Amino acid sequence: MGHAGWVSCEADLGPREAARQSARREARGGERRRASGTGRKPKLVLCDRLLLTLVYLRHQLPHEVLAELYDVDRSAVSTAIRQVRPHHGSGMSPAS
């Protein structure tokens, strides 16, 4: 996938992220108490999180191996997969 493909993926996720934030705002009963962006920063940028998740789904590599490949700790891999995977819908399953 070329650069243009990643840009379109990122553009596609924008409206979904806005809808997710709106649902979270409604669930908590109002605006957030802390300003947006004040929490822990992700260790992987969006494109890396997408690619990592796709590699995981396609090849079923253990999180430890993916952590070595991306030079992050295992929890960062788990977090990235957990954040990205719901956006793909329930129809996507690991390759066998």
Side-chain angles (χ1 to χ4, degrees):
M1 178 183 292
H3 178 70
W6 286 114
V7 170
S8 69
C9 283
E10 197 168 358
D12 182 43
L13 289 176
R16 293 179 188 192
E17 178 64 18
R20 187 176 75 91
Q21 289 296 332
S22 179
R24 291 178 76 184
R25 183 181 312 110
E26 192 173 308
R28 85 178 148 248
E31 292 298 321
R32 54 179 41 232
R33 290 182 223 163
R34 294 185 190 152
S36 179
T38 57
R40 183 178 297 174
K41 304 292 183 238
K43 295 180 180 176
L44 298 166
V45 294
L46 179 60
C47 289
D48 286 338
R49 286 184 277 167
L50 286 171
L51 184 59
L52 185 144
T53 302
L54 291 173
V55 169
Y56 169 73
L57 291 172
R58 178 70 178 117
H59 299 291
Q60 289 295 295
L61 293 175
H63 289 199
E64 293 84 5
V65 172
L66 292 168
E68 277 294 316
L69 290 172
Y70 281 89
D71 196 29
V72 294
D73 56 309
R74 186 183 169 280
S75 64
V77 171
S78 299
T79 301
I81 292 170
R82 188 174 50 251
Q83 288 173 344
V84 172
R85 196 161 180 193
H87 294 296
H88 289 292
S90 59
M92 190 172 201
S93 59
S96 38

